[in-house]
Amino acid sequence: EMGCLGVVVGTVWLHAIRQFLDTSVFLGGIIMIQMHMQQGLSQDARIIRQEVFVEEQGFHHEFDEIDSRAWHLVLYENEQAAGCCRFFSSDQPGVYILGRLAVRKSFRGRQYGEQLVREAEAWLRGRQVKRLALSAQVRVRPFYEKLGFTASGDEYLDEYCPHIHMEKELGK
């Protein structure tokens, strides 16, 4: 009988762990995290990027012709757009470019940037993409290194902001 009880308790415990991993408890409430992906720039991704890159960081050339063909991933917390990124195929076979990763100030510190990158990587792996490249602001280089990206080449300026080229082999 103890064995059966252990299995039941173990199953309930495992279910509780899965539920916790799918949602987070924050200030006594449940936080629901959802991801939405579409080809072409969504209104929510536009709002996030305008807020983070234009208003907060002072970039002037945030939106470009790539937005219409890129895949855009938006992370929602309790149905509020919290962060986004985009990715698109490069001119090299099997290589995609990740960019425009942004998390709104009020949602930072919750690993949403990491979740967005990992979700993009998983989607790309499922399509046999071999390598992911990006142009990182130098100040966030450690963030990408923690996620397995490696810097190469010299730093360069993009709208007066130091950037560095980074890549990651996606593998399996």
Side-chain angles (χ1 to χ4, degrees), residues 34-117:
Q34 295 173 303
M35 298 268 189
H36 174 75
M37 184 168 48
Q38 75 176 48
Q39 193 166 24
L41 183 63
S42 70
Q43 186 62 23
D44 287 337
R46 176 178 288 283
I47 289 167
I48 293 166
R49 286 170 49 188
Q50 176 72 28
E51 193 175 298
V52 173
F53 293 121
V54 178
E55 296 168 18
E56 186 181 325
Q57 296 182 10
F59 287 94
H60 298 288
H61 307 290
E62 175 54 24
F63 303 99
D64 58 25
E65 70 286 347
I66 295 170
D67 282 326
S68 62
R69 67 178 174 92
W71 288 95
H72 297 264
L73 186 60
V74 179
L75 182 145
Y76 294 87
E77 178 188 289
N78 293 338
E79 300 181 2
Q80 292 185 9
C84 66
C85 68
R86 76 176 185 184
F87 44 94
F88 55 95
S89 60
S90 74
D91 53 3
Q92 297 176 324
V95 180
Y96 265 63
I97 308 293
L98 175 76
R100 305 307 206 262
L101 176 65
V103 176
R104 295 168 113 169
K105 194 176 270 189
S106 60
F107 293 98
R108 291 184 190 153
R110 301 178 195 175
Q111 288 78 47
Y112 290 166
E114 180 177 340
Q115 287 182 43
L116 283 159
V117 172

Coordinates of all heavy atoms in Angstrom, one line a residue, residues 34-117:
Q34 N 2.2 33.2 -22.9 CA 1.8 32.7 -24.2 C 2.8 33.3 -25.2 O 3.3 34.4 -25.0 CB 0.4 33.1 -24.6 CG -0.7 32.5 -23.7 CD -2.0 33.1 -24.0 OE1 -2.2 34.3 -23.9 NE2 -3.0 32.2 -24.3
M35 N 3.0 32.6 -26.3 CA 3.8 33.0 -27.4 C 2.9 33.0 -28.6 O 2.1 32.1 -28.9 CB 5.0 32.1 -27.6 CG 5.9 32.0 -26.5 SD 7.3 33.1 -26.6 CE 8.3 32.6 -25.3
H36 N 3.1 34.1 -29.5 CA 2.4 34.1 -30.7 C 3.4 34.5 -31.8 O 4.3 35.4 -31.7 CB 1.3 35.2 -30.7 CG 0.7 35.4 -32.0 ND1 -0.2 34.6 -32.5 CD2 0.8 36.4 -33.0 CE1 -0.6 35.0 -33.7 NE2 0.0 36.1 -34.0
M37 N 3.4 33.7 -32.9 CA 4.3 33.9 -34.0 C 3.6 34.2 -35.3 O 2.5 33.5 -35.5 CB 5.3 32.7 -34.2 CG 6.3 33.0 -35.2 SD 7.6 31.8 -35.3 CE 6.8 30.3 -35.2
Q38 N 4.1 35.1 -36.1 CA 3.5 35.3 -37.4 C 4.5 35.9 -38.3 O 5.5 36.5 -37.9 CB 2.3 36.3 -37.3 CG 2.7 37.8 -37.1 CD 1.5 38.7 -37.1 OE1 0.5 38.4 -36.4 NE2 1.6 39.8 -37.9
Q39 N 4.3 35.7 -39.6 CA 5.2 36.3 -40.6 C 4.6 37.7 -40.9 O 3.5 37.9 -41.1 CB 5.2 35.5 -41.9 CG 6.3 35.8 -42.8 CD 6.6 34.8 -43.9 OE1 5.7 34.0 -44.2 NE2 7.8 34.8 -44.4
G40 N 5.5 38.7 -40.8 CA 5.1 40.1 -41.0 C 5.0 40.7 -39.6 O 4.6 40.0 -38.6
L41 N 5.2 42.0 -39.5 CA 5.2 42.7 -38.2 C 3.8 42.8 -37.7 O 3.0 43.4 -38.3 CB 5.9 44.1 -38.4 CG 6.0 44.9 -37.2 CD1 7.0 44.3 -36.2 CD2 6.6 46.3 -37.6
S42 N 3.6 42.3 -36.4 CA 2.3 42.5 -35.8 C 2.3 43.9 -35.1 O 3.3 44.5 -34.8 CB 2.1 41.4 -34.7 OG 3.0 41.6 -33.6
Q43 N 1.1 44.3 -34.8 CA 0.9 45.6 -34.1 C 1.6 45.6 -32.7 O 2.2 46.5 -32.3 CB -0.5 46.0 -34.0 CG -0.8 47.3 -33.4 CD -0.2 48.5 -34.2 OE1 0.0 48.3 -35.4 NE2 0.0 49.6 -33.6
D44 N 1.5 44.4 -32.0 CA 2.1 44.3 -30.7 C 3.6 44.4 -30.7 O 4.2 45.0 -29.9 CB 1.6 43.0 -30.0 CG 0.2 43.1 -29.5 OD1 -0.3 44.2 -29.3 OD2 -0.4 42.0 -29.4
A45 N 4.2 43.7 -31.7 CA 5.7 43.8 -31.9 C 6.1 45.2 -32.2 O 7.1 45.7 -31.7 CB 6.1 42.8 -33.0
R46 N 5.3 45.9 -33.0 CA 5.6 47.3 -33.4 C 5.6 48.1 -32.1 O 6.5 48.9 -31.9 CB 4.6 47.8 -34.4 CG 4.8 49.3 -34.8 CD 3.9 49.8 -35.8 NE 4.2 49.3 -37.1 CZ 5.2 49.7 -37.9 NH1 6.0 50.7 -37.5 NH2 5.4 49.2 -39.1
I47 N 4.6 48.0 -31.3 CA 4.5 48.8 -30.1 C 5.7 48.5 -29.2 O 6.3 49.5 -28.6 CB 3.2 48.5 -29.4 CG1 2.0 49.1 -30.2 CG2 3.1 49.1 -28.0 CD1 0.6 48.6 -29.8
I48 N 6.0 47.3 -29.0 CA 7.2 46.9 -28.1 C 8.5 47.5 -28.6 O 9.2 48.2 -27.8 CB 7.3 45.4 -27.9 CG1 6.1 44.8 -27.2 CG2 8.6 45.0 -27.2 CD1 6.0 43.3 -27.3
R49 N 8.7 47.4 -29.9 CA 10.0 47.9 -30.4 C 10.0 49.4 -30.4 O 11.1 50.0 -30.2 CB 10.2 47.3 -31.8 CG 10.6 45.8 -31.8 CD 10.5 45.2 -33.1 NE 11.2 45.9 -34.2 CZ 11.2 45.5 -35.5 NH1 10.5 44.5 -35.8 NH2 11.8 46.3 -36.4
Q50 N 8.9 50.0 -30.7 CA 8.8 51.5 -30.6 C 9.2 52.0 -29.2 O 10.0 52.9 -29.0 CB 7.4 52.0 -31.0 CG 7.2 53.5 -30.9 CD 8.0 54.3 -32.0 OE1 8.2 53.8 -33.1 NE2 8.3 55.5 -31.6
E51 N 8.6 51.3 -28.2 CA 8.8 51.7 -26.8 C 10.3 51.5 -26.4 O 10.9 52.3 -25.8 CB 7.9 50.8 -26.0 CG 7.7 51.2 -24.5 CD 6.7 50.4 -23.8 OE1 5.5 50.4 -24.2 OE2 7.1 49.7 -22.9
V52 N 10.8 50.3 -26.7 CA 12.2 49.9 -26.3 C 13.3 50.6 -27.1 O 14.2 51.2 -26.6 CB 12.4 48.4 -26.2 CG1 13.8 48.0 -25.9 CG2 11.4 47.8 -25.2
F53 N 13.2 50.4 -28.4 CA 14.4 50.8 -29.2 C 14.3 52.3 -29.6 O 15.3 53.0 -29.7 CB 14.5 50.0 -30.5 CG 14.9 48.5 -30.2 CD1 14.0 47.5 -30.6 CD2 16.0 48.2 -29.6 CE1 14.4 46.2 -30.4 CE2 16.4 46.9 -29.3 CZ 15.6 45.9 -29.7
V54 N 13.1 52.8 -29.9 CA 13.0 54.2 -30.3 C 12.9 55.1 -29.1 O 13.8 56.0 -28.9 CB 11.8 54.4 -31.3 CG1 11.7 55.9 -31.7 CG2 12.0 53.5 -32.5
E55 N 11.9 54.9 -28.3 CA 11.7 55.9 -27.1 C 12.7 55.7 -26.0 O 13.3 56.7 -25.5 CB 10.3 55.7 -26.6 CG 9.2 56.0 -27.6 CD 7.8 55.6 -27.2 OE1 7.6 55.3 -26.0 OE2 6.9 55.5 -28.1
E56 N 13.1 54.5 -25.7 CA 14.0 54.2 -24.6 C 15.4 54.3 -25.0 O 16.2 55.0 -24.3 CB 13.7 52.8 -24.0 CG 14.5 52.5 -22.7 CD 14.1 51.1 -22.2 OE1 13.0 50.6 -22.4 OE2 15.1 50.4 -21.7
Q57 N 15.8 53.8 -26.1 CA 17.2 53.7 -26.5 C 17.6 54.7 -27.6 O 18.8 54.8 -27.9 CB 17.6 52.3 -27.0 CG 17.4 51.2 -25.8 CD 17.8 49.8 -26.3 OE1 18.4 49.6 -27.4 NE2 17.5 48.9 -25.4
G58 N 16.7 55.4 -28.2 CA 17.0 56.5 -29.1 C 17.3 56.1 -30.5 O 17.9 56.9 -31.3
F59 N 17.0 54.8 -31.0 CA 17.3 54.4 -32.3 C 16.3 55.1 -33.3 O 15.1 55.3 -32.9 CB 17.2 52.9 -32.5 CG 18.4 52.2 -31.9 CD1 18.3 51.7 -30.6 CD2 19.5 52.0 -32.7 CE1 19.4 51.0 -30.1 CE2 20.6 51.4 -32.1 CZ 20.6 50.9 -30.8
H60 N 16.7 55.5 -34.5 CA 15.8 56.1 -35.4 C 15.4 55.3 -36.6 O 14.3 55.5 -37.2 CB 16.6 57.4 -36.0 CG 16.9 58.4 -35.0 ND1 16.0 59.2 -34.4 CD2 18.1 58.7 -34.4 CE1 16.6 60.0 -33.5 NE2 17.9 59.7 -33.5
H61 N 16.2 54.2 -36.9 CA 15.9 53.4 -38.1 C 15.4 52.0 -37.6 O 16.0 51.0 -38.0 CB 17.1 53.3 -39.0 CG 17.6 54.6 -39.4 ND1 16.9 55.5 -40.3 CD2 18.7 55.3 -39.0 CE1 17.5 56.6 -40.4 NE2 18.6 56.5 -39.7
E62 N 14.4 51.9 -36.8 CA 14.0 50.7 -36.2 C 13.3 49.8 -37.1 O 13.4 48.5 -37.1 CB 13.2 51.0 -34.9 CG 12.6 49.7 -34.3 CD 13.6 48.7 -33.9 OE1 14.8 49.0 -33.7 OE2 13.2 47.5 -33.9
F63 N 12.4 50.3 -37.9 CA 11.6 49.5 -38.8 C 12.1 49.5 -40.2 O 12.6 50.5 -40.7 CB 10.1 50.0 -38.7 CG 9.6 50.0 -37.3 CD1 9.6 51.2 -36.6 CD2 9.2 48.8 -36.7 CE1 9.2 51.2 -35.2 CE2 8.8 48.8 -35.4 CZ 8.7 50.0 -34.7
D64 N 12.1 48.3 -40.9 CA 12.7 48.2 -42.2 C 11.9 47.3 -43.1 O 10.9 46.7 -42.6 CB 14.2 47.9 -42.1 CG 14.4 46.5 -41.4 OD1 13.5 45.7 -41.3 OD2 15.5 46.3 -40.8
E65 N 12.4 47.1 -44.3 CA 11.8 46.2 -45.3 C 11.8 44.8 -44.9 O 11.0 44.0 -45.3 CB 12.4 46.4 -46.7 CG 13.8 45.9 -46.8 CD 14.9 46.7 -46.2 OE1 14.6 47.9 -45.8 OE2 16.0 46.2 -46.1
I66 N 12.7 44.4 -44.0 CA 12.8 43.0 -43.5 C 11.6 42.6 -42.7 O 11.2 41.5 -42.7 CB 14.1 42.8 -42.7 CG1 15.3 42.9 -43.7 CG2 14.1 41.4 -42.1 CD1 16.7 43.0 -43.0
D67 N 11.0 43.6 -42.0 CA 9.8 43.3 -41.1 C 8.7 42.6 -41.9 O 8.0 41.7 -41.3 CB 9.3 44.6 -40.5 CG 10.2 45.0 -39.3 OD1 10.7 44.2 -38.6 OD2 10.3 46.3 -39.1
S68 N 8.5 42.9 -43.1 CA 7.4 42.3 -43.9 C 7.6 40.8 -44.2 O 6.7 40.0 -44.3 CB 7.1 43.0 -45.1 OG 8.2 43.0 -46.0
R69 N 8.9 40.3 -44.3 CA 9.2 38.9 -44.6 C 9.7 38.1 -43.4 O 9.7 36.9 -43.4 CB 10.2 38.8 -45.7 CG 11.6 39.3 -45.4 CD 12.5 39.1 -46.7 NE 13.8 39.7 -46.5 CZ 14.8 39.0 -46.0 NH1 14.7 37.8 -45.7 NH2 16.0 39.6 -45.9
A70 N 10.0 38.8 -42.3 CA 10.6 38.1 -41.1 C 9.4 37.4 -40.4 O 8.3 37.8 -40.4 CB 11.3 39.1 -40.2
W71 N 9.8 36.4 -39.6 CA 8.9 35.8 -38.6 C 9.1 36.6 -37.3 O 10.2 36.9 -36.9 CB 9.3 34.4 -38.3 CG 8.9 33.5 -39.5 CD1 9.7 33.1 -40.5 CD2 7.6 32.9 -39.8 NE1 9.0 32.3 -41.4 CE2 7.7 32.2 -41.0 CE3 6.4 33.0 -39.1 CZ2 6.6 31.5 -41.5 CZ3 5.3 32.3 -39.7 CH2 5.4 31.6 -40.8
H72 N 7.9 37.0 -36.7 CA 7.9 37.8 -35.5 C 7.3 37.0 -34.4 O 6.2 36.4 -34.5 CB 7.2 39.1 -35.7 CG 7.8 40.0 -36.7 ND1 8.6 41.0 -36.4 CD2 7.7 39.9 -38.1 CE1 9.0 41.6 -37.5 NE2 8.5 41.0 -38.5
L73 N 8.0 36.9 -33.2 CA 7.5 36.1 -32.1 C 7.2 37.1 -31.0 O 8.1 38.0 -30.7 CB 8.6 35.2 -31.6 CG 8.4 34.2 -30.5 CD1 7.2 33.3 -30.9 CD2 9.6 33.4 -30.3
V74 N 6.0 37.1 -30.4 CA 5.7 38.0 -29.3 C 5.3 37.1 -28.1 O 4.6 36.2 -28.2 CB 4.5 38.9 -29.7 CG1 4.1 39.8 -28.5 CG2 4.8 39.7 -30.9
L75 N 5.9 37.5 -26.9 CA 5.6 36.8 -25.7 C 4.5 37.7 -24.9 O 4.7 38.9 -24.8 CB 6.8 36.7 -24.8 CG 6.7 36.0 -23.5 CD1 8.0 35.2 -23.2 CD2 6.4 36.9 -22.4
Y76 N 3.5 37.0 -24.4 CA 2.5 37.7 -23.7 C 2.5 37.2 -22.3 O 2.6 36.0 -22.0 CB 1.1 37.4 -24.3 CG 0.9 38.0 -25.7 CD1 1.3 37.3 -26.8 CD2 0.4 39.3 -25.8 CE1 1.2 37.9 -28.1 CE2 0.2 39.8 -27.1 CZ 0.6 39.1 -28.2 OH 0.5 39.7 -29.4
E77 N 2.3 38.1 -21.3 CA 2.1 37.8 -19.9 C 0.7 38.2 -19.6 O 0.3 39.4 -19.7 CB 3.1 38.5 -19.0 CG 2.8 38.2 -17.6 CD 3.7 39.1 -16.6 OE1 4.9 38.9 -16.6 OE2 3.1 40.0 -16.0
N78 N -0.2 37.3 -19.2 CA -1.6 37.6 -18.9 C -2.2 38.4 -20.0 O -2.8 39.5 -19.7 CB -1.7 38.2 -17.6 CG -1.4 37.3 -16.4 OD1 -1.4 36.0 -16.6 ND2 -1.0 37.8 -15.3
E79 N -2.0 38.1 -21.3 CA -2.5 38.7 -22.5 C -2.0 40.1 -22.7 O -2.5 40.8 -23.6 CB -4.0 38.7 -22.4 CG -4.6 37.3 -22.3 CD -6.1 37.2 -22.3 OE1 -6.8 38.3 -22.4 OE2 -6.7 36.1 -22.2
Q80 N -0.9 40.5 -22.0 CA -0.3 41.8 -22.3 C 1.1 41.5 -23.0 O 1.9 40.7 -22.6 CB 0.0 42.6 -21.0 CG -1.2 43.0 -20.3 CD -0.8 43.9 -19.1 OE1 0.3 44.2 -18.8 NE2 -1.8 44.2 -18.2
A81 N 1.3 42.2 -24.1 CA 2.5 42.0 -24.9 C 3.7 42.5 -24.1 O 3.8 43.6 -23.7 CB 2.4 42.8 -26.2
A82 N 4.6 41.6 -23.8 CA 5.7 41.8 -22.9 C 7.1 41.9 -23.6 O 7.9 42.7 -23.3 CB 5.8 40.8 -21.8
G83 N 7.3 41.1 -24.7 CA 8.5 41.1 -25.4 C 8.4 40.5 -26.8 O 7.3 39.9 -27.1
C84 N 9.4 40.7 -27.6 CA 9.3 40.2 -29.0 C 10.7 40.0 -29.5 O 11.7 40.5 -29.0 CB 8.6 41.2 -29.9 SG 9.3 42.8 -30.1
C85 N 10.8 39.3 -30.7 CA 12.0 39.2 -31.5 C 11.5 38.9 -32.9 O 10.4 38.6 -33.1 CB 12.9 38.2 -30.9 SG 12.4 36.5 -31.1
R86 N 12.5 38.9 -33.8 CA 12.2 38.5 -35.2 C 13.3 37.7 -35.7 O 14.5 37.7 -35.2 CB 12.0 39.7 -36.1 CG 13.3 40.5 -36.5 CD 13.0 41.6 -37.5 NE 14.3 42.1 -37.9 CZ 14.4 43.2 -38.7 NH1 13.3 43.8 -39.2 NH2 15.6 43.6 -39.1
F87 N 13.1 36.9 -36.7 CA 14.1 36.1 -37.3 C 13.8 35.8 -38.8 O 12.6 35.8 -39.2 CB 14.4 34.8 -36.6 CG 13.2 34.0 -36.2 CD1 12.6 33.0 -37.0 CD2 12.5 34.3 -35.0 CE1 11.5 32.3 -36.6 CE2 11.4 33.6 -34.6 CZ 10.9 32.6 -35.4
F88 N 14.8 35.7 -39.6 CA 14.6 35.6 -41.0 C 15.8 34.9 -41.7 O 16.9 34.9 -41.1 CB 14.4 37.0 -41.7 CG 15.5 38.0 -41.4 CD1 16.5 38.2 -42.3 CD2 15.5 38.7 -40.2 CE1 17.6 39.1 -42.0 CE2 16.5 39.6 -39.9 CZ 17.5 39.8 -40.8
S89 N 15.6 34.4 -42.8 CA 16.7 33.6 -43.5 C 17.7 34.6 -44.0 O 17.4 35.7 -44.5 CB 16.2 32.8 -44.6 OG 15.5 33.5 -45.6
S90 N 19.0 34.2 -43.9 CA 20.1 35.1 -44.4 C 20.4 34.7 -45.9 O 19.7 33.8 -46.4 CB 21.3 34.9 -43.6 OG 21.9 33.7 -43.9
D91 N 21.4 35.3 -46.5 CA 21.7 34.9 -47.8 C 22.6 33.6 -47.8 O 23.0 33.1 -48.9 CB 22.4 36.0 -48.6 CG 23.6 36.6 -47.8 OD1 23.9 36.1 -46.7 OD2 24.2 37.6 -48.2
Q92 N 22.9 33.1 -46.7 CA 23.7 31.8 -46.6 C 22.7 30.7 -46.3 O 21.9 30.8 -45.4 CB 24.7 31.9 -45.4 CG 25.8 32.9 -45.6 CD 26.7 33.0 -44.4 OE1 26.3 32.8 -43.3 NE2 28.0 33.2 -44.7
P93 N 22.8 29.6 -47.0 CA 21.9 28.5 -46.8 C 22.0 27.9 -45.4 O 23.1 27.8 -44.8 CB 22.3 27.4 -47.8 CG 23.1 28.1 -48.8 CD 23.7 29.3 -48.1
G94 N 20.8 27.6 -44.7 CA 20.8 27.1 -43.4 C 21.1 28.0 -42.3 O 21.3 27.6 -41.1
V95 N 21.2 29.3 -42.6 CA 21.5 30.3 -41.6 C 20.4 31.3 -41.5 O 19.9 31.9 -42.5 CB 22.8 31.1 -41.9 CG1 23.1 32.1 -40.8 CG2 24.0 30.1 -42.0
Y96 N 19.9 31.6 -40.3 CA 18.9 32.6 -40.0 C 19.5 33.7 -39.2 O 20.5 33.5 -38.5 CB 17.7 32.0 -39.3 CG 16.6 31.6 -40.2 CD1 16.8 30.6 -41.1 CD2 15.3 32.2 -40.1 CE1 15.7 30.2 -42.0 CE2 14.3 31.8 -40.9 CZ 14.5 30.8 -41.8 OH 13.5 30.4 -42.7
I97 N 18.9 34.9 -39.2 CA 19.3 36.0 -38.4 C 18.3 36.3 -37.4 O 17.1 36.4 -37.7 CB 19.5 37.3 -39.3 CG1 20.3 37.0 -40.5 CG2 19.9 38.5 -38.5 CD1 21.8 36.8 -40.2
L98 N 18.7 36.4 -36.1 CA 17.8 36.8 -35.0 C 18.0 38.2 -34.7 O 19.2 38.7 -34.7 CB 18.1 35.9 -33.8 CG 17.3 36.3 -32.5 CD1 15.9 35.7 -32.6 CD2 18.0 35.7 -31.3
G99 N 17.0 39.0 -34.5 CA 17.2 40.4 -34.1 C 15.9 41.0 -33.5 O 14.9 40.4 -33.3
R100 N 16.1 42.3 -33.1 CA 15.1 43.1 -32.6 C 14.5 42.4 -31.3 O 13.3 42.5 -31.1 CB 14.0 43.4 -33.6 CG 14.4 44.0 -34.9 CD 15.3 45.3 -34.6 NE 15.2 46.2 -35.8 CZ 16.1 46.3 -36.7 NH1 17.2 45.5 -36.7 NH2 16.0 47.2 -37.7
L101 N 15.3 41.8 -30.5 CA 14.9 41.2 -29.3 C 14.6 42.3 -28.3 O 15.6 43.1 -28.0 CB 15.9 40.2 -28.7 CG 15.6 39.6 -27.4 CD1 14.4 38.7 -27.4 CD2 16.8 38.8 -26.9
A102 N 13.4 42.4 -27.8 CA 13.1 43.5 -26.9 C 12.1 43.1 -25.8 O 11.2 42.3 -26.1 CB 12.5 44.7 -27.6
V103 N 12.3 43.5 -24.6 CA 11.3 43.2 -23.5 C 11.0 44.6 -22.9 O 11.9 45.4 -22.5 CB 11.9 42.3 -22.5 CG1 11.0 42.1 -21.3 CG2 12.3 40.9 -23.1
R104 N 9.7 44.8 -22.7 CA 9.3 46.1 -22.1 C 9.8 46.2 -20.7 O 9.9 45.2 -20.0 CB 7.8 46.2 -22.1 CG 7.2 46.3 -23.5 CD 5.7 46.1 -23.4 NE 5.1 47.3 -23.8 CZ 3.8 47.4 -24.1 NH1 3.0 46.3 -23.9 NH2 3.3 48.5 -24.5
K105 N 10.2 47.5 -20.3 CA 10.8 47.7 -19.0 C 10.0 47.1 -17.9 O 10.6 46.5 -17.0 CB 10.9 49.2 -18.8 CG 11.9 49.6 -17.7 CD 12.0 51.1 -17.6 CE 13.2 51.5 -18.5 NZ 13.6 52.9 -18.2
S106 N 8.7 47.2 -17.9 CA 7.9 46.7 -16.7 C 7.9 45.2 -16.7 O 7.4 44.6 -15.7 CB 6.5 47.2 -16.8 OG 5.9 46.8 -18.0
F107 N 8.4 44.5 -17.7 CA 8.4 43.0 -17.7 C 9.8 42.4 -17.6 O 10.0 41.2 -17.7 CB 7.7 42.5 -19.0 CG 6.3 42.8 -19.1 CD1 5.8 43.9 -19.8 CD2 5.3 42.0 -18.4 CE1 4.5 44.2 -19.9 CE2 4.0 42.3 -18.5 CZ 3.6 43.4 -19.3
R108 N 10.8 43.3 -17.4 CA 12.2 42.8 -17.3 C 12.5 42.0 -16.0 O 11.8 42.2 -15.0 CB 13.2 43.9 -17.5 CG 13.1 44.4 -18.9 CD 14.0 45.5 -19.3 NE 13.7 46.1 -20.6 CZ 13.9 47.3 -20.9 NH1 14.6 48.1 -20.1 NH2 13.6 47.8 -22.1
G109 N 13.5 41.2 -16.1 CA 13.9 40.4 -14.9 C 13.2 39.1 -14.7 O 13.3 38.5 -13.7
R110 N 12.4 38.7 -15.7 CA 11.6 37.5 -15.7 C 12.1 36.5 -16.7 O 11.3 35.5 -17.0 CB 10.1 37.8 -15.9 CG 9.6 38.8 -14.8 CD 8.2 39.2 -15.1 NE 7.9 40.4 -14.3 CZ 6.7 41.0 -14.4 NH1 5.7 40.6 -15.1 NH2 6.5 42.1 -13.6
Q111 N 13.3 36.7 -17.3 CA 13.8 35.8 -18.2 C 13.0 35.6 -19.5 O 13.1 34.7 -20.2 CB 14.1 34.3 -17.7 CG 15.2 34.3 -16.7 CD 14.8 34.8 -15.3 OE1 13.8 34.5 -14.8 NE2 15.7 35.6 -14.8
Y112 N 12.3 36.7 -19.9 CA 11.5 36.6 -21.1 C 12.3 36.7 -22.3 O 12.0 36.1 -23.3 CB 10.4 37.7 -21.1 CG 9.3 37.5 -20.1 CD1 8.4 38.6 -19.7 CD2 9.1 36.3 -19.4 CE1 7.4 38.4 -18.8 CE2 8.1 36.1 -18.5 CZ 7.2 37.1 -18.2 OH 6.2 36.9 -17.3
G113 N 13.4 37.5 -22.3 CA 14.3 37.5 -23.4 C 14.9 36.1 -23.7 O 14.9 35.7 -24.9
E114 N 15.3 35.4 -22.7 CA 15.8 34.0 -22.9 C 14.7 33.1 -23.4 O 15.0 32.3 -24.3 CB 16.3 33.5 -21.5 CG 16.8 32.1 -21.6 CD 17.4 31.6 -20.3 OE1 17.7 32.4 -19.4 OE2 17.5 30.4 -20.2
Q115 N 13.5 33.3 -22.9 CA 12.4 32.4 -23.4 C 12.1 32.7 -24.9 O 11.9 31.7 -25.6 CB 11.1 32.7 -22.6 CG 11.2 32.1 -21.2 CD 9.9 32.3 -20.4 OE1 8.8 32.2 -21.0 NE2 10.0 32.7 -19.2
L116 N 12.2 33.9 -25.3 CA 12.0 34.3 -26.7 C 13.0 33.6 -27.6 O 12.7 33.1 -28.6 CB 11.9 35.8 -26.9 CG 10.6 36.5 -26.5 CD1 10.9 37.9 -26.2 CD2 9.5 36.3 -27.5
V117 N 14.3 33.8 -27.2 CA 15.4 33.2 -28.0 C 15.3 31.7 -28.0 O 15.4 31.1 -29.1 CB 16.8 33.6 -27.4 CG1 17.9 32.8 -28.1 CG2 17.0 35.1 -27.5

